[in-house]
């Protein structure tokens, strides 16, 4: 059985976590081995970088370099091995978040991000020669789309906000535009979920998207 890589995206407050749990349970019920992980993070080193990324002020390029360094370690230690074992890999955020947050939100150069993406996501040992087809992408990305104003209401008072969560609404509007632009560039991989409805309706959409690809009954 071949590995399956599904990532989950959206602005802070879009409410993806419970659906990742539900999807993990649905795959497990089918006898699949599921690895649930997140970015930035997923390894000891990447989780340490996450702490800096979410708390320390830094310029957008530093942010981009750190998320990709964390991603490379995560790929090497967790993602590639799990896919090679034929597992279902569910990742809370991946590179689309970098294009949306560092690219859209912070305005960092998308060409540099694209270059880093092709280096970091090339298979081990193939970095110098890798053709585009060797650049790993998720098999499916579910983008939980929610208006920034609604997300802000959901987040208000929920907990102490981190560096990104405390950004103004205009930042998240730019992040959402970043996701929309990314989806336009890869419409067969990225599917938009309307996250502005009751959780059961959101879950229904999530399940349908995965079922339609023949991965769940
Ligand atoms: P998030 O995934 O929302 O976790 P939690 O639910 O625990 O808050 O937090 C990760 C934050 O990191 C989020 O605000 C988006 C940001 N981020 C980037 O800016 N760039 C990236 O490449 C990634 C993966 C995340």
């Amino acid at each position: 059985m071949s590995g399956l890589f599904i990532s989950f995206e959206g602005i802070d407050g879009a409410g993806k976590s419970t659906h990742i749990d539900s999807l993990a349970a649905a795959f497990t019920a089918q006898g699949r081995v599921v690895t649930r992980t997140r970015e930035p993070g997923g390894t000891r080193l990447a989780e340490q970088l996450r702490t800096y990324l979410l708390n320390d002020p830094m310029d957008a390029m530093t942010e981009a370099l750190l998320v990709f360094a964390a991603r490379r370690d995560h790929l090497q230690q967790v993602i590639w091995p799990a896919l090679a074992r034929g597992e279902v890999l569910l990742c809370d955020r991946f590179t689309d978040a970098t294009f949306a947050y560092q690219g859209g939100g912070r305005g960092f150069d998308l060409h540099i991000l694209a270059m880093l993406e092709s280096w970091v996501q090339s298979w081990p040992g193939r970095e110098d020669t890798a053709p585009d087809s060797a650049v790993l992408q998720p098999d499916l990305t579910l983008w939980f789309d929610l208006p920034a104003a609604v997300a802000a209401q959901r987040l208000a008072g929920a907990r102490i906000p981190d560096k990104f969560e405390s950004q103004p609404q205009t930042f998240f509007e730019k992040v959402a535009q970043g996701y929309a632009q990314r989806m336009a560039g890869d419409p067969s991989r990225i599917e938009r979920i309307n996250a502005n409805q009751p959780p059961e309706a959101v879950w229904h959409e999530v399940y349908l998207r995965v079922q339609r690809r023949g991965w769940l009954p």
Side-chain angles (χ1 to χ4, degrees):
M1 209 175 268
S2 57
L4 204 55
F5 180 8
I6 305 178
S7 64
F8 302 82
E9 299 285 355
I11 60 173
D12 289 85
K16 48 194 162 52
S17 303
T18 53
H19 301 296
I20 304 176
D21 292 338
S22 304
L23 206 53
F27 276 112
T28 305
Q30 293 305 307
R32 298 291 303 253
V33 176
V34 176
T35 294
R36 189 195 190 292
T37 185
R38 69 171 181 180
E39 290 212 348
T43 70
R44 205 178 84 90
L45 173 61
E47 288 291 335
Q48 284 175 338
L49 294 176
R50 179 189 177 92
T51 304
Y52 295 122
L53 279 160
L54 267 49
N55 297 292
D56 292 34
M58 60 185 78
D59 86 315
M61 185 191 287
T62 310
E63 232 169 66
L65 292 170
L66 287 184
V67 285
F68 273 114
R71 180 161 302 133
R72 180 72 186 183
D73 192 53
H74 191 207
L75 281 161
Q76 295 277 4
Q77 292 205 49
V78 176
I79 299 178
W80 275 316
L83 295 176
R85 291 192 299 265
E87 297 177 6
V88 176
L89 193 291
L90 303 181
C91 195
D92 189 346
R93 300 189 184 283
F94 194 62
T95 304
D96 298 312
T98 314
F99 279 84
Y101 280 78
Q102 280 66 50
R106 306 268 270 129
F108 186 65
D109 191 322
L110 298 179
H111 295 104
I112 298 178
L113 294 182
M115 198 166 67
L116 290 168
E117 174 184 40
S118 68
W119 283 350
V120 167
Q121 288 159 230
S122 296
W123 293 82
R126 297 279 306 277
E127 295 83 351
D128 45 349
T129 53
D132 270 4
S133 59
V135 176
L136 181 76
Q137 294 292 352
D139 297 296
L140 170 66
T141 296
L142 298 174
W143 168 35
F144 291 72
D145 188 23
L146 186 72
V150 180
Q153 273 170 8
R154 285 192 191 173
L155 281 180
R159 57 181 169 186
I160 301 166
D162 64 35
K163 194 179 85 184
F164 292 106
E165 288 163 349
S166 50
Q167 292 290 323
Q169 196 176 306
T170 50
F171 176 85
F172 290 105
E173 282 156 8
K174 287 188 278 180
V175 172
Q177 281 166 21
Y179 277 126
Q181 199 178 329
R182 208 45 192 164
M183 184 177 159
D186 199 350
S188 60
R189 172 176 65 85
I190 306 178
E191 298 214 29
R192 181 186 166 277
I193 303 280
N194 175 13
N196 196 14
Q197 32 176 6
E200 314 79 58
V202 176
W203 168 243
H204 185 65
E205 275 200 38
V206 168
Y207 193 95
L208 271 182
R209 303 306 167 96
V210 178
Q211 187 187 45
R212 245 185 247 156
R213 296 192 177 225
W215 299 332
L216 285 173

